[in-house]
Amino acid sequence: MKFIHMADVHLGAEPEAGRAYSEQRKQEIWDSFAAVLKVCEKERIDFLLIAGDLFHRQPLIRELKEVNYLFSKLTVTKVVFIAGNHDYVKPEGYYKTFVWADNVYPLLNDKITCARFPKENVGVYGLSYHQKEIRENIYAGQYAPGQFPYEILLVHGGDETHAPFKKSELMDLGYNYIALGHIHKPWILVENFAAYAGALEPIDRNDVGKHGFIKGEMTPKGTMVQFVPFAKREYVHMEIAIDKDTTNMRLREQIRKKIEEYGVHNLYKLILRGHHDPDIIFEKAGLDQYGNILEIVDDTNPAYDFEKLEEKNQKNLLGKYIACMKGAKEGSKEYQALYEGVHALLETKRGF
């Protein structure tokens, strides 16, 4: 039995994308979702398991119809999904009344229920959120019933306000596989037994790294799963090393080369680190011509020439302070005090 496990698709989200991709990122999430379904069809996947937050918020009726159409085109794959904390089941929501295609099996109860597939010897279990938070350990003691040779549990949560659980408790429940959602970073919690698929596409700039889905297979010998990178873009936090020889033109060249190396299609937060020439002021405007830069954090400090500063300021407080602290080894607490004292005096213009 072959399956694909994904979660946290967040259809309808409008992720941070910067100027270059701001209009298309929302559609790219839909496109990635549709592309996974094409994989299901091409590889004749038996089950598509969606562990919550298919939608970023309460789904609109037109969104449900679009998703249902895509599901209905699958000729082999059966779809089982639960609602998470973002798209939780509201009493007046469309989840309650929507009629799904014959191959779609939503588990929308707030207690664990089962989608039964006797021909495939499979039972898929799960429950849906009916509010934004679940602070209780709702999965404790929810053991696999043992009604099918292959039993799978869909879980959405894992932090203190969203269905908290202990890994050891999950391992004791007796399922063949536990498909997890809510944590956006892919994470094999227990090898070939429990995994977070992560968000299909990164949703905000903190969703760094690879994103995609879990592909698995169950046989009489056991369960085997692997993570499949699939997202169109990544959020990358990239450090740029700065030294006293870095000018604006050199910085632009560094950024251009780095982005070309990591991929111009990705989405970047740049962090400038190091010590720069005190006479240089970095100009951030126009840097997004080299790639899709969302943010630039300047975490640099001036690289002071203490000997020259002492020579020029022998008769004032700044020069006397440097003379007093001279000889401190770089990296020591004394050197840090020298640097911070000089920086403070120069910034406030005191001692001149």
Side-chain angles (χ1 to χ4, degrees), residues 53 93 134 218:
D53 284 354
I134 298 176
M218 289 183 177

Side-chain angles (χ1 to χ4, degrees), residues 102-336:
D102 291 341
N103 65 324
V104 183
Y105 301 82
L107 300 176
L108 298 178
N109 202 302
D110 62 352
K111 299 291 188 293
I112 290 181
T113 55
C114 179
R116 301 171 181 273
F117 306 98
K119 288 184 179 179
E120 294 84 0
N121 294 319
V122 172
V124 182
Y125 300 81
L127 60 80
S128 287
Y129 279 60
H130 283 234
Q131 61 276 334
K132 292 181 179 180
E133 294 184 352
I134 298 176
R135 293 177 176 268
E136 312 89 61
N137 184 354
I138 55 176
Y139 297 105
Q142 299 293 334
Y143 299 103
Q147 298 175 350
F148 299 91
Y150 303 124
E151 294 186 315
I152 298 169
L153 179 65
L154 304 186
V155 170
H156 191 87
D159 62 34
E160 62 182 16
T161 57
H162 299 95
F165 59 76
K166 295 179 180 178
K167 183 171 75 171
S168 59
E169 292 175 342
L170 289 185
M171 294 177 67
D172 290 339
L173 294 181
Y175 291 91
N176 299 87
Y177 180 67
I178 298 179
L180 294 153
H182 182 60
I183 305 300
H184 284 196
K185 184 177 181 178
W187 178 20
I188 304 295
L189 196 65
V190 181
E191 186 176 4
N192 295 320
F193 175 76
Y196 282 100
L200 180 63
E201 286 278 342
I203 303 302
D204 66 45
R205 66 183 67 186
N206 292 315
D207 287 347
V208 297
K210 301 289 185 184
H211 287 79
F213 58 82
I214 299 286
K215 183 188 289 186
E217 185 172 3
M218 289 183 177
T219 70
K221 295 181 180 180
T223 303
M224 295 292 292
V225 302
Q226 62 176 341
F227 171 71
V228 179
F230 201 74
K232 294 180 180 294
R233 310 186 194 281
E234 290 181 41
Y235 286 100
V236 178
H237 291 185
M238 179 184 289
E239 290 194 7
I240 306 293
I242 302 297
D243 60 34
K244 60 183 178 58
D245 296 321
T246 303
T247 63
N248 271 285
M249 295 306 296
R250 180 179 169 185
L251 174 61
R252 287 170 180 265
E253 185 69 11
Q254 283 180 268
I255 290 172
R256 181 185 64 77
K257 288 181 178 179
K258 284 254 189 186
I259 289 178
E260 285 179 357
E261 177 185 350
Y262 281 83
V264 294
H265 61 288
N266 289 323
L267 310 162
Y268 292 92
K269 174 182 177 180
L270 304 182
I271 304 103
L272 311 184
R273 298 232 172 169
H275 291 82
H276 64 83
D277 185 330
D279 295 326
I280 296 293
I281 298 174
F282 294 124
E283 300 291 342
K284 300 177 185 178
L287 288 174
D288 57 358
Q289 66 179 294
Y290 304 113
N292 195 37
I293 300 171
L294 302 179
E295 182 183 2
I296 301 174
V297 177
D298 188 347
D299 199 21
T300 63
N301 289 300
Y304 297 121
D305 186 329
F306 295 120
E307 289 187 7
K308 286 185 178 180
L309 283 173
E310 182 188 3
E311 185 179 343
K312 290 181 180 180
N313 296 276
Q314 292 179 12
K315 297 182 180 180
N316 60 37
L317 180 59
L318 176 60
K320 293 176 181 177
Y321 181 77
I322 295 172
C324 179
M325 301 293 290
K326 191 162 57 176
K329 292 183 179 180
E330 191 167 349
S332 66
K333 291 182 179 179
E334 291 78 9
Y335 186 89
Q336 185 68 19

